[in-house]
Amino acid sequence: MQPILELQNLEVNFHTLDGVVHAVNGVSYSVAAGKTLGVVGESGCGKSVSVLSVMRLIPDPPGKIKQGKILFHGEDLLEYDDKRMESIRGSEIAMVFQDPMTSLNPVLTIGKQLTEGMMVHQGISRKEATDRAIDLLTLVGIPNPAERISDYPHQFSGGMRQRAMIAMALSCSPEILIADEPTTALDVTIQAQIVELTKSLQERLGMAVVWITHDLGVVADLADDVVVMYAGYIVEEADVFQIYENPLHPYTLSLLKSLPRVDRRDQNKRLATIPGFPPGGLTVLPGCPFAPRCSFTVERCMHENPQLLPFEADHKVACWVDVSTGRER
């Protein structure tokens, strides 16, 4: 299936007073129409920077997209001028951010913020946009939408604010929805509701979804394919079933072992932890960036960073070691 969005060898740096931060290092992934791609990794691994690059929202300076391509329907978004990119952003590619309280303007009503994008991108009247906004709030499960549309963000709960953000992202019927850790600031019950809402909306509207998260439990319920990132690199890529049934990278394996599971036989056993800390982006190590924290490290790992290569059908990994045997490939 032809991908609707494709990142090719994307590299993003940030120039700071302390030096150059290498946030994204040659990342390539794609998402097909109507499918969900989960991008997983701990804080600082580059997953949010990669999707902010898609939206062309990297602040320049200090950020700089050093190289690569971002193809949307085969056309490179990095070659678009600002005006053309504005017509894409919010209309054909929409984004839901991590914290809805800081993403929504506190001095504008929910209705004002919902209708603005529709009036700009679709050229409809304020009344048409207001009617559409009420329909969208109904769609995402906001009670009494005709009344709540006049409320300000502080009058909504955290879950309702995130639902309003999703409604805003869907207002122009985008082909791709990018969700950047949209459930992080919410309690577990509301997280589950937002995930179920996203799944139902995707089935109803047929849009592609890129879901950024550090929570592998969310990915299991939502994604078709998964990309695992570490220190600005993709270390593993596969469909969601392969990632959970047959993880090939030590980092993915460690993440899965750290998840609490109700189906574990050894319920009293402590969850696994990953020792040490992720590397800072100011220095690029010559070897594998995960090597200092990895229990499978061999000599080659310290001197040569492995490429992301196919291990089997639709399953790629960047590792010198076979985790099933502990031996070098």
Side-chain angles (χ1 to χ4, degrees):
M1 185 181 292
Q2 183 70 26
I4 188 174
L5 178 70
E6 187 174 7
L7 275 63
Q8 295 181 353
N9 198 31
L10 182 68
E11 188 172 333
V12 184
N13 294 341
F14 288 87
H15 296 266
T16 71
L17 294 175
D18 295 324
V20 178
V21 176
H22 302 270
V24 176
N25 302 305
V27 162
S28 300
Y29 60 73
S30 63
V31 57
K35 297 293 185 179
T36 297
L37 174 71
V39 183
V40 180
E42 59 195 285
S43 297
C45 72
K47 56 189 187 297
S48 293
V49 173
S50 68
V51 293
L52 286 171
S53 301
V54 172
M55 300 297 287
R56 293 270 300 275
L57 293 176
I58 298 294
D60 184 6
K64 187 73 174 178
I65 298 177
K66 187 176 178 182
Q67 68 174 28
K69 293 182 178 181
I70 301 172
L71 303 179
F72 177 58
H73 287 302
E75 295 188 8
D76 191 358
L77 296 180
L78 298 181
E79 295 180 355
Y80 285 11
D81 58 28
D82 290 343
K83 186 174 182 179
R84 191 175 182 190
M85 193 62 212
E86 285 176 7
S87 69
I88 296 286
R89 192 186 299 127
S91 173
E92 298 179 58
I93 306 176
M95 189 166 180
V96 178
F97 295 92
Q98 182 171 342
D99 186 354
M101 195 62 209
T102 57
S103 303
L104 292 167
N105 191 323
V107 300
L108 297 178
T109 65
I110 295 295
K112 173 68 174 175
Q113 296 181 67
L114 266 171
T115 56
E116 185 178 24
M118 290 184 278
M119 293 168 65
V120 170
H121 289 297
Q122 299 180 330
I124 60 178
S125 67
R126 183 173 297 279
K127 184 181 184 309
E128 289 174 314
T130 301
D131 291 341
R132 167 82 170 141
I134 293 172
D135 291 340
L136 285 166
L137 290 179
T138 303
L139 184 67
V140 298
I142 300 293
N144 305 317
E147 299 173 15
R148 302 308 301 269
I149 199 171
S150 300
D151 287 351
Y152 290 87
H154 72 272
Q155 295 174 279
F156 275 37
S157 67
M160 289 174 66
R161 284 194 293 265
Q162 198 59 282
R163 289 171 183 266
M165 282 294 299
I166 293 172
M168 193 181 303
L170 299 177
S171 61
C172 295
S173 303
E175 295 183 67
I176 302 173
L177 175 67
I178 296 173
D180 186 10
E181 302 204 43
T183 61
T184 298
L186 307 176
D187 64 58
V188 176
T189 304
I190 304 301
Q191 282 185 25
Q193 292 177 4
I194 295 298
V195 170
E196 288 303 314
L197 171 64
T198 305
K199 287 170 63 178
S200 64
L201 290 174
Q202 182 184 24
E203 291 173 3
R204 180 171 175 174
L205 304 174
M207 61 188 176
V209 175
V210 180
W211 190 280
I212 307 297
T213 185
H214 60 268
D215 189 342
L216 277 168
V218 171
V219 166
D221 193 36
L222 188 66
D224 297 299
D225 301 291
V226 180
V227 163
V228 181
M229 291 188 65
Y230 185 81
Y233 297 92
I234 293 177
V235 295
E236 188 165 358
E237 179 181 350
D239 68 61
V240 67
F241 299 105
Q242 286 289 334
I243 286 289
Y244 284 86
E245 291 178 6
N246 185 31
L248 298 178
H249 196 279
Y251 179 59
T252 310
L253 190 64
S254 299
L255 288 178
L256 290 171
K257 285 183 176 180
S258 69
L259 276 178
R261 294 178 54 164
V262 296
D263 60 344
R264 291 175 67 109
R265 295 180 180 177
D266 49 349
Q267 290 291 333
N268 296 324
K269 187 177 181 180
R270 283 180 174 271
L271 296 176
T273 59
I274 305 175
F277 300 93
L282 289 171
T283 55
V284 179
L285 301 174
C288 172
F290 189 60
R293 308 174 70 188
C294 181
S295 58
F296 293 89
T297 303
V298 295
E299 183 65 25
R300 190 178 188 183
C301 302
M302 307 305 295
H303 307 291
E304 191 177 350
N305 192 4
Q307 292 183 325
L308 184 71
L309 297 172
F311 178 76
E312 53 190 37
D314 300 321
H315 199 156
K316 299 178 181 178
V317 65
C319 187
W320 296 123
V321 178
D322 184 341
V323 294
S324 64
T325 63
R327 299 175 182 172
E328 187 172 346
R329 293 188 193 279

